[in-house]
Amino acid sequence: GENVEQHPSTLSVQEGDSAVIKCTYSDSASNYFPWYKQELGKRPQLIIDIRSNVGEKKDQRIAVTLNKTAKHFSLHITETQPEDSAVYFCAASRGGATNKLIFGTGTLLAVQP
Amino acid sequence: ETGVTQTPRHLVMGMTNKKSLKCEQHLGHNAMYWYKQSAKKPLELMFVYNFKEQTENNSVPSRFSPECPNSSHLFLHLHTLQPEDSALYLCASSQDSGGSSVAFFGQGTRLTVV
């Protein structure tokens, strides 16, 4: 079945460093790849997404890259800050009749001040 | 606030109880979803409703029964649950369930089955 693998499961960085989280997906028909951030005790919130017709998208300190051939996509956070500490989830969807988002297992990012 | 509200925020129930989770969205969306979030597991899609019609049941046990009376409200009726059903249940909505529309999540209901 469809699945999304996410690595690493935990990531600790120093404030100001960069953080990279990687995901691979199995369904080659996937064409939409969002990233969600979930702070402790709060709901997941979309932080950035990318569609299959582009290879990279950037929004201030956050960027996402997509390699459709290799079926993997990555989240890059530069100049990390303590408030970036959270669990980050990647997801993949093929769209169509149902927006069935398949989520990765999450990455706990800790930014040390 | 993202406009998706879930009640209650916390629920403790016995295995013989019957309870319901409620989700309401004020975003004018047409699609609503139930997800289950367990520790160290991916978010698991349970049900999808599009224009009040159920379009996806992801092999969920019958002790979970969804209800969608209109596009703004979604319920999850619970009965004879098991301790392993303890988890965070998240509701989400999107403009529609086709294409790649963005999903907005509620705060979740933390369910504990004793």
Side-chain angles (χ1 to χ4, degrees):
Chain A
E2 310 131 325
N3 78 295
V4 176
E5 293 187 3
Q6 184 171 347
H7 300 281
S9 56
T10 59
L11 178 60
S12 182
V13 299
Q14 290 296 124
E15 183 177 358
D17 287 351
S18 295
V20 181
I21 303 170
K22 298 181 180 180
C23 288
T24 58
Y25 58 97
S26 61
D27 185 357
S28 56
S30 297
N31 56 20
Y32 174 63
F33 308 91
W35 285 88
Y36 284 83
K37 174 184 180 182
Q38 187 175 25
E39 297 178 31
L40 186 63
K42 295 190 176 181
R43 74 192 79 197
Q45 291 192 294
L46 180 76
I47 54 171
I48 195 167
D49 57 13
I50 191 168
R51 287 170 169 77
S52 59
N53 57 341
V54 297
E56 185 174 357
K57 183 176 178 181
K58 190 173 181 180
D59 183 3
Q60 299 182 338
R61 296 186 296 110
I62 295 173
V64 57
T65 58
L66 171 65
N67 183 328
K68 285 211 73 180
T69 303
K71 291 192 286 188
H72 67 69
F73 56 112
S74 300
L75 177 71
H76 305 254
I77 306 174
T78 58
E79 300 171 32
T80 53
Q81 300 167 4
E83 51 266 36
D84 294 329
S85 297
V87 178
Y88 290 81
F89 293 95
C90 64
S93 167
R94 58 160 62 188
T98 58
N99 187 20
K100 187 177 176 181
L101 284 171
I102 307 298
F103 282 88
T105 48
T107 296
L108 175 60
L109 173 65
V111 180
Q112 309 297 333
Chain B
E1 285 297 322
T2 64
V4 181
T5 305
Q6 287 184 246
T7 55
R9 293 292 306 276
H10 302 271
L11 178 62
V12 179
M13 61 185 288
M15 289 188 283
T16 58
N17 291 160
K18 289 184 180 181
K19 297 286 184 183
S20 296
L21 309 185
K22 180 182 176 182
C23 177
E24 186 173 359
Q25 58 95 1
H26 306 280
L27 300 168
H29 290 166
N30 298 311
M32 296 187 77
Y33 314 79
W34 279 116
Y35 282 88
K36 177 183 178 182
Q37 186 173 32
S38 305
K40 299 182 180 179
K41 279 186 160 184
L43 278 158
E44 300 171 64
L45 179 66
M46 300 174 72
F47 301 104
V48 180
Y49 276 83
N50 195 30
F51 290 94
K52 303 187 298 179
E53 298 296 321
Q54 184 176 311
T55 57
E56 182 97 15
N57 177 337
N58 205 25
S59 302
V60 181
S62 60
R63 57 186 184 269
F64 294 92
S65 175
E67 179 189 0
C68 189
N70 54 61
S71 293
S72 300
H73 294 85
L74 184 65
F75 295 90
L76 188 62
H77 303 301
L78 317 170
H79 65 97
T80 59
L81 294 192
Q82 305 298 312
E84 58 264 31
D85 296 322
S86 298
L88 180 69
Y89 288 84
L90 288 160
C91 172
S93 72
S94 64
Q95 183 61 44
D96 55 57
S97 68
S100 310
S101 50
V102 175
F104 293 87
F105 285 88
Q107 310 102 310
T109 294
R110 174 68 62 187
L111 174 67
T112 303
V113 181
V114 297

